[in-house]
Amino acid sequence: MAAAAENLRTEEIQLNMGPQHPSTHGVYRALLTLDGEKVVGVENIIGYLHRGIEKLAEDRTYTQVIPYTDRLDYLAGMLNNLGYVQTVEKLLGLEVPERAEYLRVIMAELSRLASHMVMVASMALDLSGWTAWFPPFRERERILDLFEMTCGSRLTVSYMRIGGVAADIPPGFLPALESFLNDLPRMIAEMNGLITGNEIFKARCQGVGKIDLETALAYGITGPNLRACGLPFDLRKARPYGIYDRFDFDIPTLNNGDSYDRFVIRLLEMEQSARIIRQAMEQLPDGPVQAKVPRVLKLPRGEVYHQIEGAKGILGFYLVSDGGSKPYRLHIHSPSFVNLGALPRISVGGTIQDFVVNIASIDIVLGEVDR
């Protein structure tokens, strides 16, 4: 019998997963080379979304670029807004009013929460956990309600402005936010009960898609995926921007670097985002929410690079000004694009089922990949 198995001939086949496959999380295509169900090769094929945001920015004023940033990681629009406007302010040397700084932090952390909620819900769904899909989306709707209450939009918010924010929060915002924060631990407990302790989920994820810290650093992985490998690196602590140095919060880490840890780290980070928001609410000062900025904004000649801790990793903007009212050049360092580069490395040697787990666990968004 053993001799027969050794002489059994197999033939590798290539399988296209995506761009229409739901578990590829958008218009991403993976060309898998399979030996039976074993993955022996993965080729990332991107570019189906062809946004062209960086080129479009060259023909828009600095303020007109803001709505385009929403379309990058469209699950965390406030964070994209923040990274871009802070880049412009850095080259301009512009001081932002205190109240606007605190509102930015509140909105940015709510955006991080909303993004992580989509990740944990969609990863559970990719593994056929239909019930576990509902609690994160239930709470995420409340975040989107807060956004809509403030700026009239839920997803593509365009709330940040160069020099501050578009508008102050309405009277009912803080009570609604307080109610949401009070209920958030219930949702996290539900996910821990439904998913993290589930035997099937653990069997599908533990030890799958494992990547060690040295390899993660070599691939340039950042954000929760890096912290799941054991490195407590977070720009909000390492190189604080805005007013993040005023808040007390921890940087959760896990040590296995597998798909399971990449899931759990998001739940842990939700708790820390809630801590930051509560402190920002307590410290929120009165005052204006917008600095005085010329209607036609012209930046001095020069170049600047600024980066923030996005929901999926380090989000950076490289901006070149020729002294005019439009960017001469804008380049975006997007974490989803960088993190996607490691997907073949963590998937080869596993099965097709493991590949679905891996792509869900690294949490990409195609608006940021095909920017």
Side-chain angles (χ1 to χ4, degrees), residues 159-371:
Y159 178 65
M160 308 292 177
R161 291 291 184 272
I162 298 165
V165 295
D168 207 340
I169 51 175
F173 182 90
L174 290 178
L177 177 56
E178 178 74 26
S179 175
F180 163 76
L181 292 176
N182 289 339
D183 292 340
L184 182 62
R186 179 191 63 185
M187 185 279 288
I188 295 174
E190 281 183 286
M191 293 305 291
N192 282 325
L194 286 167
I195 294 297
T196 56
N198 184 284
E199 292 183 9
I200 298 173
F201 185 84
K202 292 169 82 170
R204 288 288 306 274
C205 298
Q206 287 183 336
V208 173
K210 192 167 183 175
I211 187 167
D212 61 83
L213 178 57
E214 183 179 355
T215 306
L217 291 171
Y219 273 90
I221 292 174
T222 57
N225 295 329
L226 179 62
R227 293 188 282 273
C229 298
L231 184 67
F233 182 79
D234 188 313
L235 281 178
R236 294 171 295 173
K237 283 275 192 184
R239 289 195 290 275
Y241 49 91
I243 57 170
Y244 271 102
D245 56 348
R246 303 181 188 180
F247 303 112
D248 178 33
F249 63 99
D250 299 323
I251 305 173
T253 59
L254 296 169
N255 296 312
N256 294 316
D258 59 7
S259 294
Y260 183 79
D261 280 7
R262 288 192 286 274
F263 177 90
V264 174
I265 199 75
R266 265 77 178 189
L267 295 173
L268 298 175
E269 292 195 359
M270 288 184 200
E271 297 173 348
Q272 300 307 313
S273 288
R275 282 181 64 186
I276 294 170
I277 293 170
R278 284 195 181 277
Q279 293 172 66
M281 291 170 64
E282 293 168 0
Q283 301 173 24
L284 183 64
D286 295 326
V289 297
Q290 176 67 51
K292 291 185 177 180
V293 178
R295 185 174 292 275
V296 179
L297 184 65
K298 293 186 178 181
L299 267 62
R301 286 180 175 270
E303 59 183 2
V304 63
Y305 180 69
H306 177 68
Q307 53 189 13
I308 69 168
E309 186 68 35
K312 295 167 176 62
I314 292 178
L315 172 65
F317 291 86
Y318 172 65
L319 181 66
V320 180
S321 169
D322 60 0
S325 60
K326 303 173 183 177
Y328 176 78
R329 183 75 176 92
L330 178 68
H331 180 66
I332 303 161
H333 177 279
S334 53
S336 289
F337 176 80
V338 177
N339 293 342
L340 184 62
L343 183 60
R345 174 66 178 265
I346 67 177
S347 299
V348 170
T351 64
I352 305 175
Q353 296 91 330
D354 293 339
F355 182 80
V356 173
V357 173
N358 292 339
I359 193 170
S361 70
I362 63 171
D363 188 25
I364 61 169
V365 60
L366 268 295
E368 204 173 62
V369 174
D370 294 346
R371 62 197 179 281

Side-chain angles (χ1 to χ4, degrees), residues 92-104:
L92 199 57
L94 186 64
E95 187 173 343
V96 178
E98 283 283 294
R99 184 173 178 85
E101 289 279 23
Y102 279 93
L103 292 179
R104 284 180 171 187

